[in-house]
Amino acid sequence: MRSHEERVAETKRRIAQIEREKRLRRNTITMASAVAACLVLLIGASLAMPGIAASIQTGDYSGFETAASMYGGGAALGYIVIGLLAFLLGVCVTVLCFRLRQMNREDGQNEESEDAHGAD
């Protein structure tokens, strides 16, 4: 038979473990949602970009304003914008996943220190 203090300590340990599992599950769902949202946004922008690039009105000089640039064709500008958008979304997802992983490591270290010190 356990003493009252042992039962309280075990209950607190179990509550902390359940909270850690919930936080881990929530972080995993957040990462998966962020990646899925970025992919949907990127695919949607990729599908819409040709129409957007075609509807951009050229100036009065009709094609000469970008004659000496690499953006001479309307499609090239769309691909460059999609590339930049993909890069920025990739950076955002990478930073988000890095922060969530760092938070998980900190939780693991806190758990180890609590177990080592016998926190109540």
Side-chain angles (χ1 to χ4, degrees):
M1 187 89 187
R2 291 183 177 179
S3 68
H4 179 70
E5 292 82 16
E6 289 174 340
R7 282 185 274 172
V8 169
E10 181 64 26
T11 303
K12 286 182 180 182
R13 187 194 62 78
R14 182 70 179 141
I15 290 171
Q17 180 182 2
I18 290 171
E19 288 176 0
R20 277 190 302 274
E21 290 171 359
K22 284 181 182 179
R23 196 173 324 119
L24 179 63
R25 191 177 318 120
R26 189 174 41 240
N27 289 347
T28 303
I29 290 170
T30 302
M31 282 191 283
S33 299
V35 170
C38 288
L39 286 175
V40 166
L41 181 64
L42 187 61
I43 290 170
S46 297
L47 294 175
M49 190 54 68
I52 294 170
S55 68
I56 294 176
Q57 295 293 327
T58 57
D60 293 298
Y61 299 103
S62 183
F64 292 110
E65 65 274 353
T66 58
S69 74
M70 66 181 189
Y71 309 119
L77 183 60
Y79 290 122
I80 291 170
V81 170
I82 291 297
L84 290 174
L85 181 63
F87 175 75
L88 291 175
L89 289 174
V91 168
C92 291
V93 169
T94 302
V95 168
L96 174 69
C97 293
F98 178 76
R99 285 294 302 148
L100 290 174
R101 177 182 248 184
Q102 189 176 15
M103 287 172 29
N104 287 341
R105 283 185 186 163
E106 290 172 0
D107 288 343
Q109 289 174 352
N110 289 342
E111 175 187 335
E112 289 175 4
S113 67
E114 286 177 1
D115 289 343
H117 299 300
D120 292 309

